[in-house]
Amino acid sequence: MNDVVGAVFAEAALSLMKARKLKPQDVAVIGYDGQTVYQEPPERDRMAAVADTARPFERWTTGGDPCGLQIGEPGVVAVLTDVPTVTQFRSVDHALGGTGAPLMQFLDHVFFKDLAPIATLNIGGISNLQVANPDRSRMQAFDCGPGNVMIDHAMNKLFGKPYDANGAVAATGRVDAGCLAELNAHPFFSRRVPRCAWRLDFGGDYADAVMARHAHLSPADLVATFTEFTACAIVRALTGHVTVLPHIQLRLSDAYGLPSQFKEAIKFATLAFATLHSVGNNIPAACGARDFGVLGKLVLPPRAARGLPVRP
């Protein structure tokens, strides 16, 4: 599966290169996240309890250090595209004791630092918040909680649709106060920032359990409540953990010259370009890592090979 996912990513890159009439040597680097199949956030109390004499592997077997796995083999992408490829950005941050998520803060530092104070919000499956600053030691970045993950799951299970387009279904339902109170009591919100979440926190199993306990609600009411929950999580993140914003004006990043439709892709291109040039591209103050590092695993393409015998 790791190689198959890599081949799918390579196909996407090749399609774009063909459409733009780009040769491999025209592309500096390909950067992508990969598909996360597992992730554990840091458990700070357990990490602090690990003895200095402990063996390195005990940081993960008993010590609560963060870890994760993304698939989408970069060797396959580098070979099929003949372009340097960087992926799996989270593992170095994990090894440094960081959350490994979110990863938007480096792009936000590069792009928005001169506009500080400014916070950026990304609502994907999991919503995350970043506070840009020219001084990396004063930046913040952490997951707010669910983005679209529970809404999409409910839409798929209850309506047979992949998502709630323009919130149309949620707009026809009513938010249930009891269900919302239960959601807002999720233990995720007791984690100290910087914190991260993933599908085990708010994914299908959790959503199914909530829907089963509130089966008396109509499908539209459940979608409306899950949507309200996402909004509540974002508000709690802003009001509970961000203190540098004197007032809030909501704008798409497009207003600053960064197309919101492509921000995720630009993020990984920026991270990968930094990796290629050995530029430190994590932000310890925002992710809890012990030090700066170069995130990402670089695989060089076949055309980069040197010292080969002369072929006839």
Side-chain angles (χ1 to χ4, degrees), residues 175-235:
V175 174
D176 182 79
C179 182
L180 182 61
E182 177 186 325
L183 293 168
N184 281 325
H186 194 289
F188 166 80
F189 298 106
S190 65
R191 296 177 194 167
R192 299 193 300 268
V193 297
R195 65 189 182 201
C196 61
W198 79 302
R199 288 179 179 271
L200 283 187
D201 288 311
F202 300 107
D205 289 345
Y206 176 70
D208 284 341
V210 173
M211 289 191 289
R213 286 193 293 271
H214 298 273
H216 61 284
L217 298 179
S218 73
D221 287 353
L222 284 167
V223 173
T225 304
F226 287 174
T227 303
E228 180 77 4
F229 179 40
T230 291
C232 287
I234 292 168
V235 170

Short mmCIF file of all heavy atoms in Angstrom, two decimals, residues 175-235:
data_model
loop_
_atom_site.label_atom_id
_atom_site.label_comp_id
_atom_site.label_asym_id
_atom_site.label_seq_id
_atom_site.Cartn_x
_atom_site.Cartn_y
_atom_site.Cartn_z
N VAL A 175 -29.43 22.57 16.63
CA VAL A 175 -28.38 22.12 17.53
C VAL A 175 -29.01 21.59 18.82
O VAL A 175 -29.86 22.26 19.43
CB VAL A 175 -27.41 23.28 17.84
CG1 VAL A 175 -26.39 22.86 18.90
CG2 VAL A 175 -26.72 23.75 16.57
N ASP A 176 -28.60 20.39 19.23
CA ASP A 176 -29.10 19.80 20.46
C ASP A 176 -28.15 20.14 21.60
O ASP A 176 -26.96 19.79 21.57
CB ASP A 176 -29.21 18.28 20.31
CG ASP A 176 -29.78 17.62 21.55
OD1 ASP A 176 -31.01 17.66 21.73
OD2 ASP A 176 -28.97 17.10 22.35
N ALA A 177 -28.66 20.82 22.62
CA ALA A 177 -27.82 21.31 23.72
C ALA A 177 -27.17 20.16 24.50
O ALA A 177 -26.00 20.25 24.90
CB ALA A 177 -28.65 22.18 24.66
N GLY A 178 -27.90 19.07 24.74
CA GLY A 178 -27.35 17.96 25.49
C GLY A 178 -26.21 17.28 24.76
O GLY A 178 -25.16 16.98 25.35
N CYS A 179 -26.41 17.03 23.48
CA CYS A 179 -25.36 16.39 22.68
C CYS A 179 -24.14 17.30 22.58
O CYS A 179 -23.00 16.84 22.70
CB CYS A 179 -25.91 16.06 21.29
SG CYS A 179 -24.73 15.22 20.20
N LEU A 180 -24.38 18.59 22.39
CA LEU A 180 -23.28 19.53 22.28
C LEU A 180 -22.48 19.60 23.58
O LEU A 180 -21.24 19.66 23.56
CB LEU A 180 -23.81 20.92 21.91
CG LEU A 180 -22.76 22.01 21.71
CD1 LEU A 180 -21.81 21.66 20.56
CD2 LEU A 180 -23.43 23.35 21.46
N ALA A 181 -23.15 19.56 24.72
CA ALA A 181 -22.46 19.58 26.01
C ALA A 181 -21.57 18.36 26.17
O ALA A 181 -20.44 18.45 26.68
CB ALA A 181 -23.48 19.66 27.14
N GLU A 182 -22.07 17.20 25.72
CA GLU A 182 -21.25 15.99 25.78
C GLU A 182 -20.01 16.12 24.90
O GLU A 182 -18.90 15.76 25.31
CB GLU A 182 -22.08 14.79 25.32
CG GLU A 182 -21.29 13.49 25.28
CD GLU A 182 -22.09 12.34 24.68
OE1 GLU A 182 -23.32 12.29 24.92
OE2 GLU A 182 -21.50 11.50 23.98
N LEU A 183 -20.17 16.66 23.71
CA LEU A 183 -19.04 16.82 22.79
C LEU A 183 -18.01 17.79 23.37
O LEU A 183 -16.80 17.54 23.28
CB LEU A 183 -19.55 17.35 21.44
CG LEU A 183 -20.44 16.39 20.63
CD1 LEU A 183 -21.11 17.13 19.48
CD2 LEU A 183 -19.62 15.22 20.11
N ASN A 184 -18.48 18.87 23.96
CA ASN A 184 -17.57 19.87 24.50
C ASN A 184 -16.82 19.38 25.74
O ASN A 184 -15.86 20.03 26.18
CB ASN A 184 -18.33 21.16 24.84
CG ASN A 184 -18.61 22.00 23.61
OD1 ASN A 184 -17.80 22.05 22.68
ND2 ASN A 184 -19.77 22.66 23.57
N ALA A 185 -17.24 18.24 26.29
CA ALA A 185 -16.54 17.66 27.44
C ALA A 185 -15.48 16.65 27.03
O ALA A 185 -14.89 15.97 27.87
CB ALA A 185 -17.56 16.98 28.37
N HIS A 186 -15.19 16.56 25.74
CA HIS A 186 -14.19 15.60 25.23
C HIS A 186 -12.84 15.84 25.92
O HIS A 186 -12.41 16.99 26.10
CB HIS A 186 -14.04 15.80 23.71
CG HIS A 186 -13.31 14.68 23.04
ND1 HIS A 186 -11.95 14.47 23.19
CD2 HIS A 186 -13.74 13.70 22.18
CE1 HIS A 186 -11.58 13.42 22.47
NE2 HIS A 186 -12.64 12.94 21.85
N PRO A 187 -12.15 14.78 26.32
CA PRO A 187 -10.87 14.94 27.03
C PRO A 187 -9.79 15.64 26.23
O PRO A 187 -8.80 16.13 26.81
CB PRO A 187 -10.47 13.50 27.38
CG PRO A 187 -11.28 12.63 26.48
CD PRO A 187 -12.55 13.36 26.23
N PHE A 188 -9.94 15.73 24.91
CA PHE A 188 -8.95 16.44 24.10
C PHE A 188 -8.72 17.86 24.61
O PHE A 188 -7.60 18.37 24.63
CB PHE A 188 -9.41 16.50 22.63
CG PHE A 188 -8.64 17.48 21.79
CD1 PHE A 188 -7.39 17.15 21.29
CD2 PHE A 188 -9.16 18.74 21.51
CE1 PHE A 188 -6.66 18.07 20.53
CE2 PHE A 188 -8.45 19.66 20.75
CZ PHE A 188 -7.19 19.32 20.26
N PHE A 189 -9.78 18.50 25.06
CA PHE A 189 -9.69 19.91 25.44
C PHE A 189 -8.94 20.12 26.75
O PHE A 189 -8.61 21.26 27.10
CB PHE A 189 -11.09 20.53 25.52
CG PHE A 189 -11.81 20.50 24.20
CD1 PHE A 189 -12.84 19.60 23.96
CD2 PHE A 189 -11.43 21.35 23.17
CE1 PHE A 189 -13.49 19.55 22.74
CE2 PHE A 189 -12.07 21.32 21.94
CZ PHE A 189 -13.10 20.42 21.72
N SER A 190 -8.65 19.04 27.47
CA SER A 190 -7.85 19.16 28.69
C SER A 190 -6.36 19.06 28.42
O SER A 190 -5.54 19.29 29.32
CB SER A 190 -8.27 18.08 29.70
OG SER A 190 -7.96 16.79 29.20
N ARG A 191 -5.97 18.73 27.19
CA ARG A 191 -4.55 18.64 26.85
C ARG A 191 -3.94 20.04 26.79
O ARG A 191 -4.54 20.97 26.29
CB ARG A 191 -4.35 17.95 25.49
CG ARG A 191 -4.81 16.51 25.47
CD ARG A 191 -4.64 15.92 24.08
NE ARG A 191 -5.36 14.66 23.95
CZ ARG A 191 -5.62 14.03 22.81
NH1 ARG A 191 -5.19 14.58 21.66
NH2 ARG A 191 -6.29 12.90 22.78
N ARG A 192 -2.72 20.13 27.29
CA ARG A 192 -2.02 21.41 27.24
C ARG A 192 -1.58 21.72 25.81
O ARG A 192 -1.23 20.83 25.04
CB ARG A 192 -0.79 21.38 28.15
CG ARG A 192 -1.12 21.15 29.62
CD ARG A 192 0.08 21.45 30.50
NE ARG A 192 1.23 20.61 30.17
CZ ARG A 192 1.49 19.45 30.75
NH1 ARG A 192 0.65 18.97 31.66
NH2 ARG A 192 2.56 18.76 30.43
N VAL A 193 -1.59 22.99 25.47
CA VAL A 193 -1.05 23.40 24.18
C VAL A 193 0.47 23.56 24.30
O VAL A 193 0.95 23.94 25.37
CB VAL A 193 -1.72 24.70 23.69
CG1 VAL A 193 -3.19 24.51 23.46
CG2 VAL A 193 -1.46 25.86 24.64
N PRO A 194 1.23 23.27 23.23
CA PRO A 194 0.74 22.84 21.92
C PRO A 194 0.23 21.40 21.98
O PRO A 194 0.83 20.54 22.62
CB PRO A 194 1.99 22.94 21.04
CG PRO A 194 3.14 22.78 21.99
CD PRO A 194 2.71 23.42 23.27
N ARG A 195 -0.87 21.17 21.32
CA ARG A 195 -1.51 19.87 21.33
C ARG A 195 -1.90 19.49 19.90
O ARG A 195 -1.99 20.34 19.02
CB ARG A 195 -2.77 19.90 22.21
CG ARG A 195 -3.84 20.81 21.66
CD ARG A 195 -4.99 21.00 22.63
NE ARG A 195 -6.02 21.86 22.04
CZ ARG A 195 -6.91 22.52 22.75
NH1 ARG A 195 -6.91 22.43 24.07
NH2 ARG A 195 -7.82 23.29 22.15
N CYS A 196 -2.11 18.20 19.70
CA CYS A 196 -2.54 17.74 18.39
C CYS A 196 -3.64 16.70 18.56
O CYS A 196 -3.75 16.06 19.60
CB CYS A 196 -1.37 17.17 17.57
SG CYS A 196 -0.57 15.73 18.32
N ALA A 197 -4.43 16.56 17.52
CA ALA A 197 -5.52 15.58 17.51
C ALA A 197 -5.48 14.84 16.18
O ALA A 197 -4.85 15.29 15.23
CB ALA A 197 -6.88 16.28 17.68
N TRP A 198 -6.15 13.74 16.14
CA TRP A 198 -6.31 13.05 14.86
C TRP A 198 -7.57 12.22 14.90
O TRP A 198 -8.40 12.37 15.80
CB TRP A 198 -5.04 12.27 14.51
CG TRP A 198 -4.87 10.94 15.20
CD1 TRP A 198 -4.82 10.69 16.54
CD2 TRP A 198 -4.68 9.69 14.54
NE1 TRP A 198 -4.62 9.36 16.75
CE2 TRP A 198 -4.52 8.71 15.55
CE3 TRP A 198 -4.62 9.29 13.20
CZ2 TRP A 198 -4.32 7.37 15.26
CZ3 TRP A 198 -4.41 7.94 12.92
CH2 TRP A 198 -4.27 7.00 13.94
N ARG A 199 -7.73 11.32 13.95
CA ARG A 199 -9.00 10.64 13.76
C ARG A 199 -9.38 9.72 14.92
O ARG A 199 -10.55 9.41 15.10
CB ARG A 199 -9.00 9.87 12.43
CG ARG A 199 -9.08 10.81 11.24
CD ARG A 199 -9.06 10.04 9.92
NE ARG A 199 -9.14 10.96 8.80
CZ ARG A 199 -10.28 11.38 8.25
NH1 ARG A 199 -11.42 10.95 8.73
NH2 ARG A 199 -10.28 12.23 7.25
N LEU A 200 -8.43 9.27 15.70
CA LEU A 200 -8.80 8.45 16.86
C LEU A 200 -9.52 9.29 17.90
O LEU A 200 -10.28 8.77 18.72
CB LEU A 200 -7.56 7.79 17.48
CG LEU A 200 -7.00 6.58 16.73
CD1 LEU A 200 -5.89 5.94 17.55
CD2 LEU A 200 -8.08 5.54 16.44
N ASP A 201 -9.27 10.61 17.90
CA ASP A 201 -9.97 11.49 18.84
C ASP A 201 -11.39 11.78 18.39
O ASP A 201 -12.32 11.73 19.18
CB ASP A 201 -9.21 12.81 18.99
CG ASP A 201 -7.92 12.66 19.77
OD1 ASP A 201 -7.96 12.05 20.85
OD2 ASP A 201 -6.87 13.14 19.30
N PHE A 202 -11.54 12.13 17.12
CA PHE A 202 -12.84 12.60 16.63
C PHE A 202 -13.31 11.86 15.37
O PHE A 202 -14.15 12.36 14.64
CB PHE A 202 -12.76 14.10 16.34
CG PHE A 202 -12.40 14.94 17.53
CD1 PHE A 202 -11.15 15.51 17.64
CD2 PHE A 202 -13.32 15.14 18.55
CE1 PHE A 202 -10.81 16.29 18.74
CE2 PHE A 202 -13.00 15.92 19.66
CZ PHE A 202 -11.74 16.49 19.75
N GLY A 203 -12.75 10.70 15.11
CA GLY A 203 -13.05 9.98 13.88
C GLY A 203 -14.32 9.17 13.92
O GLY A 203 -15.22 9.38 14.76
N GLY A 204 -14.39 8.19 13.00
CA GLY A 204 -15.62 7.44 12.79
C GLY A 204 -16.13 6.71 14.01
O GLY A 204 -17.34 6.73 14.29
N ASP A 205 -15.24 6.07 14.77
CA ASP A 205 -15.69 5.32 15.95
C ASP A 205 -16.32 6.25 16.97
O ASP A 205 -17.36 5.93 17.57
CB ASP A 205 -14.51 4.55 16.57
CG ASP A 205 -14.06 3.39 15.70
OD1 ASP A 205 -14.81 3.00 14.79
OD2 ASP A 205 -12.94 2.88 15.95
N TYR A 206 -15.67 7.39 17.19
CA TYR A 206 -16.21 8.34 18.17
C TYR A 206 -17.54 8.91 17.69
O TYR A 206 -18.52 8.98 18.44
CB TYR A 206 -15.20 9.46 18.41
CG TYR A 206 -15.72 10.54 19.33
CD1 TYR A 206 -15.91 10.30 20.69
CD2 TYR A 206 -16.02 11.81 18.84
CE1 TYR A 206 -16.38 11.29 21.55
CE2 TYR A 206 -16.50 12.81 19.68
CZ TYR A 206 -16.68 12.55 21.04
OH TYR A 206 -17.16 13.52 21.86
N ALA A 207 -17.60 9.31 16.42
CA ALA A 207 -18.83 9.88 15.87
C ALA A 207 -19.97 8.86 15.93
O ALA A 207 -21.11 9.21 16.27
CB ALA A 207 -18.61 10.35 14.43
N ASP A 208 -19.67 7.60 15.60
CA ASP A 208 -20.70 6.57 15.64
C ASP A 208 -21.24 6.40 17.06
O ASP A 208 -22.46 6.23 17.27
CB ASP A 208 -20.13 5.24 15.15
CG ASP A 208 -19.99 5.19 13.64
OD1 ASP A 208 -20.64 6.00 12.96
OD2 ASP A 208 -19.21 4.35 13.14
N ALA A 209 -20.35 6.43 18.05
CA ALA A 209 -20.78 6.26 19.44
C ALA A 209 -21.69 7.42 19.87
O ALA A 209 -22.71 7.21 20.55
CB ALA A 209 -19.57 6.17 20.36
N VAL A 210 -21.32 8.64 19.46
CA VAL A 210 -22.15 9.80 19.79
C VAL A 210 -23.51 9.69 19.12
O VAL A 210 -24.56 9.92 19.75
CB VAL A 210 -21.45 11.11 19.38
CG1 VAL A 210 -22.39 12.30 19.56
CG2 VAL A 210 -20.17 11.31 20.18
N MET A 211 -23.52 9.31 17.85
CA MET A 211 -24.80 9.20 17.12
C MET A 211 -25.67 8.11 17.72
O MET A 211 -26.90 8.24 17.76
CB MET A 211 -24.53 8.95 15.64
CG MET A 211 -23.97 10.18 14.92
SD MET A 211 -23.93 10.02 13.10
CE MET A 211 -22.62 8.81 12.91
N ALA A 212 -25.04 7.03 18.21
CA ALA A 212 -25.83 5.95 18.83
C ALA A 212 -26.46 6.41 20.14
O ALA A 212 -27.61 6.07 20.44
CB ALA A 212 -24.93 4.74 19.06
N ARG A 213 -25.72 7.19 20.93
CA ARG A 213 -26.27 7.67 22.20
C ARG A 213 -27.35 8.74 22.00
O ARG A 213 -28.17 8.96 22.89
CB ARG A 213 -25.14 8.25 23.06
CG ARG A 213 -24.22 7.21 23.68
CD ARG A 213 -23.34 7.80 24.76
NE ARG A 213 -22.38 8.75 24.23
CZ ARG A 213 -21.17 8.42 23.79
NH1 ARG A 213 -20.77 7.14 23.80
NH2 ARG A 213 -20.34 9.34 23.33
N HIS A 214 -27.37 9.35 20.83
CA HIS A 214 -28.35 10.39 20.55
C HIS A 214 -29.17 10.03 19.30
O HIS A 214 -29.46 10.87 18.46
CB HIS A 214 -27.65 11.74 20.37
CG HIS A 214 -26.92 12.19 21.59
ND1 HIS A 214 -27.52 12.91 22.60
CD2 HIS A 214 -25.63 11.99 21.98
CE1 HIS A 214 -26.63 13.15 23.55
NE2 HIS A 214 -25.48 12.60 23.21
N ALA A 215 -29.54 8.76 19.25
CA ALA A 215 -30.29 8.26 18.09
C ALA A 215 -31.67 8.88 17.97
O ALA A 215 -32.31 8.78 16.92
CB ALA A 215 -30.40 6.74 18.17
N HIS A 216 -32.13 9.52 19.03
CA HIS A 216 -33.45 10.17 18.97
C HIS A 216 -33.41 11.45 18.13
O HIS A 216 -34.48 11.96 17.75
CB HIS A 216 -33.92 10.51 20.38
CG HIS A 216 -33.00 11.45 21.10
ND1 HIS A 216 -31.79 11.04 21.64
CD2 HIS A 216 -33.11 12.77 21.38
CE1 HIS A 216 -31.19 12.08 22.21
NE2 HIS A 216 -31.98 13.14 22.07
N LEU A 217 -32.22 11.95 17.83
CA LEU A 217 -32.11 13.17 17.04
C LEU A 217 -32.25 12.85 15.56
O LEU A 217 -31.87 11.77 15.10
CB LEU A 217 -30.75 13.85 17.29
CG LEU A 217 -30.48 14.32 18.72
CD1 LEU A 217 -29.09 14.95 18.81
CD2 LEU A 217 -31.54 15.33 19.17
N SER A 218 -32.76 13.79 14.82
CA SER A 218 -32.87 13.61 13.37
C SER A 218 -31.48 13.70 12.75
O SER A 218 -30.56 14.31 13.33
CB SER A 218 -33.77 14.68 12.77
OG SER A 218 -33.11 15.94 12.76
N PRO A 219 -31.27 13.10 11.57
CA PRO A 219 -29.97 13.21 10.91
C PRO A 219 -29.52 14.66 10.72
O PRO A 219 -28.34 14.98 10.95
CB PRO A 219 -30.21 12.52 9.56
CG PRO A 219 -31.27 11.50 9.86
CD PRO A 219 -32.18 12.18 10.85
N ALA A 220 -30.43 15.53 10.34
CA ALA A 220 -30.06 16.94 10.15
C ALA A 220 -29.65 17.58 11.46
O ALA A 220 -28.73 18.41 11.50
CB ALA A 220 -31.22 17.71 9.52
N ASP A 221 -30.31 17.21 12.57
CA ASP A 221 -29.95 17.76 13.87
C ASP A 221 -28.55 17.31 14.29
O ASP A 221 -27.79 18.08 14.89
CB ASP A 221 -30.96 17.34 14.94
CG ASP A 221 -32.29 18.07 14.79
OD1 ASP A 221 -32.38 18.99 13.96
OD2 ASP A 221 -33.24 17.70 15.52
N LEU A 222 -28.21 16.06 13.98
CA LEU A 222 -26.87 15.57 14.31
C LEU A 222 -25.81 16.33 13.52
O LEU A 222 -24.78 16.74 14.07
CB LEU A 222 -26.78 14.07 14.01
CG LEU A 222 -27.46 13.15 15.03
CD1 LEU A 222 -27.58 11.74 14.48
CD2 LEU A 222 -26.69 13.14 16.35
N VAL A 223 -26.05 16.55 12.23
CA VAL A 223 -25.09 17.29 11.41
C VAL A 223 -24.97 18.73 11.91
O VAL A 223 -23.87 19.29 11.99
CB VAL A 223 -25.48 17.24 9.93
CG1 VAL A 223 -24.59 18.15 9.09
CG2 VAL A 223 -25.41 15.81 9.40
N ALA A 224 -26.09 19.34 12.26
CA ALA A 224 -26.06 20.70 12.79
C ALA A 224 -25.27 20.77 14.10
O ALA A 224 -24.49 21.71 14.33
CB ALA A 224 -27.48 21.21 13.01
N THR A 225 -25.45 19.77 14.95
CA THR A 225 -24.75 19.75 16.24
C THR A 225 -23.26 19.54 16.04
O THR A 225 -22.44 20.19 16.71
CB THR A 225 -25.34 18.66 17.15
OG1 THR A 225 -26.75 18.89 17.30
CG2 THR A 225 -24.69 18.68 18.52
N PHE A 226 -22.89 18.64 15.14
CA PHE A 226 -21.47 18.42 14.86
C PHE A 226 -20.84 19.69 14.28
O PHE A 226 -19.68 20.02 14.57
CB PHE A 226 -21.28 17.25 13.90
CG PHE A 226 -21.54 15.90 14.51
CD1 PHE A 226 -21.52 14.75 13.72
CD2 PHE A 226 -21.79 15.75 15.86
CE1 PHE A 226 -21.74 13.50 14.28
CE2 PHE A 226 -22.03 14.50 16.43
CZ PHE A 226 -22.00 13.37 15.63
N THR A 227 -21.59 20.39 13.46
CA THR A 227 -21.07 21.64 12.86
C THR A 227 -20.87 22.70 13.94
O THR A 227 -19.85 23.40 13.96
CB THR A 227 -22.04 22.14 11.78
OG1 THR A 227 -22.22 21.11 10.79
CG2 THR A 227 -21.50 23.39 11.10
N GLU A 228 -21.84 22.80 14.85
CA GLU A 228 -21.71 23.75 15.96
C GLU A 228 -20.51 23.37 16.84
O GLU A 228 -19.80 24.26 17.35
CB GLU A 228 -22.99 23.75 16.79
CG GLU A 228 -22.98 24.70 17.98
CD GLU A 228 -23.20 26.15 17.58
OE1 GLU A 228 -23.45 26.41 16.39
OE2 GLU A 228 -23.13 27.02 18.48
N PHE A 229 -20.28 22.09 17.02
CA PHE A 229 -19.15 21.62 17.82
C PHE A 229 -17.83 22.09 17.22
O PHE A 229 -16.92 22.54 17.95
CB PHE A 229 -19.21 20.10 17.92
CG PHE A 229 -18.09 19.48 18.70
CD1 PHE A 229 -17.61 20.06 19.87
CD2 PHE A 229 -17.52 18.28 18.27
CE1 PHE A 229 -16.58 19.46 20.60
CE2 PHE A 229 -16.49 17.69 18.99
CZ PHE A 229 -16.01 18.28 20.15
N THR A 230 -17.70 22.01 15.91
CA THR A 230 -16.49 22.50 15.24
C THR A 230 -16.29 23.98 15.52
O THR A 230 -15.18 24.44 15.84
CB THR A 230 -16.57 22.24 13.73
OG1 THR A 230 -16.50 20.83 13.49
CG2 THR A 230 -15.44 22.93 12.98
N ALA A 231 -17.37 24.75 15.40
CA ALA A 231 -17.28 26.19 15.66
C ALA A 231 -16.90 26.47 17.11
O ALA A 231 -16.07 27.34 17.40
CB ALA A 231 -18.61 26.87 15.31
N CYS A 232 -17.49 25.73 18.04
CA CYS A 232 -17.18 25.91 19.46
C CYS A 232 -15.71 25.62 19.75
O CYS A 232 -15.06 26.35 20.53
CB CYS A 232 -18.05 24.99 20.31
SG CYS A 232 -19.78 25.47 20.42
N ALA A 233 -15.17 24.57 19.14
CA ALA A 233 -13.77 24.21 19.36
C ALA A 233 -12.84 25.32 18.89
O ALA A 233 -11.83 25.62 19.54
CB ALA A 233 -13.45 22.90 18.65
N ILE A 234 -13.17 25.93 17.75
CA ILE A 234 -12.35 27.01 17.22
C ILE A 234 -12.41 28.23 18.14
O ILE A 234 -11.38 28.86 18.44
CB ILE A 234 -12.79 27.35 15.79
CG1 ILE A 234 -12.46 26.19 14.85
CG2 ILE A 234 -12.14 28.65 15.31
CD1 ILE A 234 -13.11 26.30 13.49
N VAL A 235 -13.60 28.59 18.59
CA VAL A 235 -13.76 29.73 19.49
C VAL A 235 -13.00 29.50 20.80
O VAL A 235 -12.33 30.41 21.32
CB VAL A 235 -15.24 30.01 19.75
CG1 VAL A 235 -15.41 31.04 20.86
CG2 VAL A 235 -15.93 30.49 18.47
#
